[in-house]
Amino acid sequence: MAYKYVPKEVKIKLTKMKIIAFAIIAIALTILYISLPYLKNWYQSTRPLTEINYHGVPMKFREDIRLARDIAVYPNETYIKSIFRSKNIERVTIGILNYTNQTNVIGVEAVEITFKLSTFYSLAPMKVAIKGKEIGSLYEIEGTAANPLIIIIPPAIANETLVKAENYTVFISGKSLKELDLATIKFITIVLNI
């Protein structure tokens, strides 16, 4: 007994509504596919950016790094970079004000600066020692080209939020804890060129 193949006809009935629905679905999927990278960037921009990967080293911050962009810098960022990226630098001193009751706040910021700057100098590679020193006033000691000074001014005595360099001394101040964090982040991002 021989079997005979008999092709069956398949008829698809297309109505105007089915064609319109198919076209709408195809257009929607195309738009979604094209806009996916933009939607992904938008979603990421709405979340706080508190962690970065700096040349393979993860660095975390307590505040959103993007908020630090608005912190004022005097005289300018290039001057601060030139101080801390100089080949003549041997040591960085962080001045700890001992006459305020917010030495714990200063300590937290000093540790953050120490960790991130020491990471930068080890990747550079530059042999730079970072040390802390208790000071009794803002102008007790001065920085030099080989040993710049960082003084963190806590909210209890700060009257402005900024990063300011005078000669080889950098003042980081904030009127609130959040603003001091942002000023510290601003200083770090300047030196690390983030």
Side-chain angles (χ1 to χ4, degrees), residues 22-189:
F22 179 73
I24 289 174
I25 291 171
I27 291 170
L29 289 174
T30 303
I31 290 172
L32 183 63
Y33 179 74
I34 291 171
S35 63
L36 192 60
Y38 301 106
L39 291 172
K40 189 175 182 182
N41 288 341
W42 172 80
Y43 174 71
Q44 289 175 347
S45 70
T46 59
R47 294 186 352 208
L49 180 62
T50 58
E51 187 174 344
I52 62 165
N53 186 336
Y54 184 74
H55 299 286
V57 179
M59 291 188 179
K60 291 186 178 183
F61 297 89
R62 287 183 302 283
E63 294 292 334
D64 189 346
I65 298 168
R66 292 177 291 225
L67 296 176
R69 292 182 195 150
D70 300 331
I71 302 297
V73 178
Y74 297 103
N76 57 45
E77 292 184 12
T78 306
Y79 181 67
I80 293 174
K81 275 185 204 173
S82 69
I83 293 172
F84 290 93
R85 290 176 160 248
S86 169
K87 296 293 180 189
N88 301 328
I89 193 169
E90 297 171 3
R91 180 182 355 189
V92 174
T93 302
I94 301 176
I96 311 290
L97 297 170
N98 62 9
Y99 64 88
T100 176
N101 62 354
Q102 290 188 321
T103 52
N104 57 344
V105 173
I106 297 171
V108 168
E109 303 299 337
V111 166
E112 184 169 7
I113 291 170
T114 302
F115 169 71
K116 289 167 174 106
L117 285 186
S118 61
T119 300
F120 167 73
Y121 289 127
S122 67
L123 292 172
M126 298 168 65
K127 292 184 179 182
V128 177
I130 302 173
K131 300 194 177 196
K133 180 177 181 178
E134 277 195 35
I135 57 174
S137 74
L138 294 176
Y139 296 99
E140 183 177 306
I141 58 175
E142 290 184 9
T144 63
N147 183 15
L149 174 65
I150 302 169
I151 297 179
I152 302 165
I153 304 171
I157 59 174
N159 57 5
E160 56 191 347
T161 300
L162 55 79
V163 177
K164 181 171 130 184
E166 291 179 6
N167 297 322
Y168 293 97
T169 303
V170 174
F171 299 93
I172 300 171
S173 66
K175 294 187 286 186
S176 69
L177 293 175
K178 180 176 181 171
E179 289 178 2
L180 182 60
D181 269 344
L182 291 174
T184 302
I185 292 169
K186 180 68 172 185
F187 169 74
I188 292 167
T189 57

